[in-house]
Amino acid sequence: MRYFFILFLTAASLLFFGCASKEVESVQKKELPSWYLNPPKTTQTTLYALGEGEDTQEAIKNALNMMASTLSVSISSQFDSKKVVQEGLVNTHQSTVVSTTQSDVKKIRISSYELIESHKLGFKNYIVLIKSQKQKLFESLKSELEQKFALVDSHIASLSLHHALHRLGGYKKIKDEIKDVPDTLVVMNVLNGLYDGREYIQKIQRVNSSYEKLLSSISVEIECDSDSKGFKPPIKEGFSTKGVRIKDGKGSLHFRVVVKSDAQKASSYGFTLARFAIDISVKDYKGSIVASNKLNIVGHSTQGYEVAKEDVAIKLDKMIKKEGIEKIIGLDL
């Protein structure tokens, strides 16, 4: 009997360790692909870049950022990723990938690329290899630039139909739309050394010049009723911060900011409350309202109604500094 018991234990042990061996073998991590360990190098005609992320799309995005960095273009992001992959029970494979990219310049959008390889390393861990032909990338950037400035020209042409403050806001939007163009031109010059993009630099300069000239020509005067007198200083400062002159004047480049308030006094839990319904309107030289906004601000004080009114002015000042005078008057500048 003892002999059969020992024989049973031996057979069971062999069966257990045999299954465990198969289980360990089945969970061992696959080797990293050769294209990841030894990626192709960028040539005079083709760009290559690796990327890693929680999914394929994120990996491609990071690969495009890395591709942009190889073109001597800084990326407006900080990418600091440390991935540790540990899988398996016995022959554990550990792969640590550290990539850091810091920049101050705007990110260049690379739309012309090809996904060559894609591989799943582990849970939420993907790697990719992309490539882009330099000439195709140059042509795509050039086409996007031409489309962008065609829209800019159309936008500028339409601005002549509007009042000066609207035109000023329009030029500001255009300035924002083309602020990344110099970075794109740097990339295009790297891709094609014969391309200098001088015509676009000149167009940018003309837009900036038109904006500055219009800004220096516009003037604003501020009119407040008796309940709104305390609001004049913060509103005046808000316009001055934007570079708009505060003075009396007339003509198509002069505007009046009219401020009226409905003030109500109240008390609550030992506080004196000043409830203000503020109506702000901007009028052109014809007296037509070109922008308006309504604000409801409540001031609090334990020292009486006058101090509560001052609290309303303080709150309005904070709103203007935080959101900008354009948000307060309902018009972009």
Side-chain angles (χ1 to χ4, degrees), residues 13 75 88 132 175 216 245 260 306 315:
S13 299
I75 305 169
S132 178
K175 279 162 56 72
S216 65
R245 295 180 301 161
K260 297 180 180 180
E306 291 302 319
K315 289 180 177 179

Side-chain angles (χ1 to χ4, degrees), residues 146-157:
E146 291 171 350
Q147 293 176 20
K148 176 176 289 189
F149 275 91
L151 291 174
V152 165
D153 291 340
S154 176
H155 192 178
I156 291 176

Side-chain angles (χ1 to χ4, degrees), residues 10 36 41 85-86 116 148 157 165 167 170 217-218 280 299 309:
T10 302
Y36 182 78
K41 295 182 179 180
V85 181
Q86 292 183 324
I116 303 176
K148 176 176 289 189
L165 286 177
R167 296 202 304 273
S217 302
I218 292 174
I280 303 176
K309 287 171 60 178

Side-chain angles (χ1 to χ4, degrees), residues 102-131:
Q102 294 178 326
S103 78
D104 299 319
V105 189
K106 299 298 177 288
K107 177 180 169 182
I108 299 300
R109 187 173 72 91
I110 299 177
S111 57
S112 177
Y113 69 91
E114 179 184 348
L115 176 63
I116 303 176
E117 302 284 356
S118 178
H119 184 76
K120 182 178 181 180
L121 283 180
F123 179 67
K124 289 188 176 182
N125 196 359
Y126 292 77
I127 53 176
V128 298
L129 174 65
I130 64 172
K131 78 172 183 178

